[in-house]
Amino acid sequence: CTIHSNYRQLWRSTLVSWFKLMPRDAGEFTGAENGPATHRIAFQLGDGTIVDFRNDFIGIGENAAEDVMRGYEPTAFYLNECDLLAEDVYEFALGRVGRYPDMDEGGPSWYGVLADCNAPVLQSWLYQKIFKNTPGNVDLFRQPSATSPQAANLANLPKGYYERQAAGAADWYVARMIENKPGYSR
């Protein structure tokens, strides 16, 4: 299950990126713009294993995490732009994963919560709970600064992309959105 802060952002960013990896016409895609959606794709692995993959796309919006996630039985959650989500979404995700497939069907071979985000604000639950004191059951991968030679995704951007973005930008913006440093709330 992929979760974003709201349906507008889910359809404007998350699903645009998803369709680059998994074309909309691959398998069966259902859902209306600015509402929930499901993409189901069946395929065979090299060892002959048949995969029946399903991804539900949900925007939390003004709903309580409990109202949206209670009773849901996924293998995993992907919390897209996790810094925009309430802590409750993360907590409910941790408590719901690993419920599919059922144990009498062999259970999941892996389950968990994946998330991505920009560098969070220092006052946020995400910074306090994950970045500042990373729990032992969490693997935190921090992308290098966009100005670093180790920067990710440069091959997919025009030359000088981040340098142009930083030119004249406020220091707080450069630190959080380009250098990937947690910062103060604006």
Side-chain angles (χ1 to χ4, degrees):
C1 177
T2 298
I3 294 185
H4 205 298
S5 58
N6 62 62
Y7 284 113
R8 183 174 181 198
Q9 291 298 330
L10 178 78
W11 280 85
R12 194 171 79 173
S13 62
T14 308
L15 281 165
V16 170
S17 296
W18 175 257
F19 292 141
K20 288 178 185 177
L21 297 172
M22 295 288 181
R24 190 176 184 147
D25 60 357
E28 179 185 356
F29 182 85
T30 57
E33 191 159 334
N34 294 321
T38 297
H39 203 171
R40 192 165 198 159
I41 304 166
F43 56 94
Q44 186 172 0
L45 299 176
D47 67 358
T49 302
I50 302 295
V51 176
D52 183 8
F53 178 82
R54 173 182 163 172
N55 194 352
D56 294 326
F57 296 89
I58 297 172
I60 292 291
E62 298 299 319
N63 299 304
E66 182 174 0
D67 293 342
V68 174
M69 301 167 78
R70 189 171 169 175
Y72 193 66
E73 298 185 349
T75 303
F77 279 101
Y78 167 44
L79 307 180
N80 186 217
E81 302 286 359
C82 188
D83 56 316
L84 301 177
L85 297 170
E87 182 178 2
D88 286 358
V89 175
Y90 176 72
E91 294 296 335
F92 271 96
L94 289 175
R96 302 305 309 167
V97 295
R99 295 175 179 246
Y100 182 84
D102 292 337
M103 294 309 292
D104 63 357
E105 295 176 25
S109 58
W110 178 89
Y111 62 92
V113 176
L114 303 171
D116 67 7
C117 65
N118 286 311
V121 295
L122 298 172
Q123 302 88 341
S124 71
W125 71 267
L126 184 59
Y127 177 76
Q128 296 296 324
K129 190 169 202 161
I130 305 298
F131 280 67
K132 187 176 178 182
N133 298 304
T134 306
N137 64 341
V138 171
D139 291 323
L140 177 62
F141 300 97
R142 294 185 66 179
Q143 290 286 351
S145 166
T147 60
S148 160
Q150 292 81 32
N153 204 33
L154 293 178
N156 294 315
L157 299 170
K159 188 167 180 62
Y161 176 84
Y162 288 111
E163 291 78 3
R164 279 190 296 283
Q165 194 177 83
D171 291 346
W172 66 265
Y173 180 87
V174 172
R176 275 196 61 225
M177 301 300 164
I178 297 174
E179 295 174 351
N180 195 30
K181 296 176 185 173
Y184 292 99
S185 172
R186 297 294 299 168

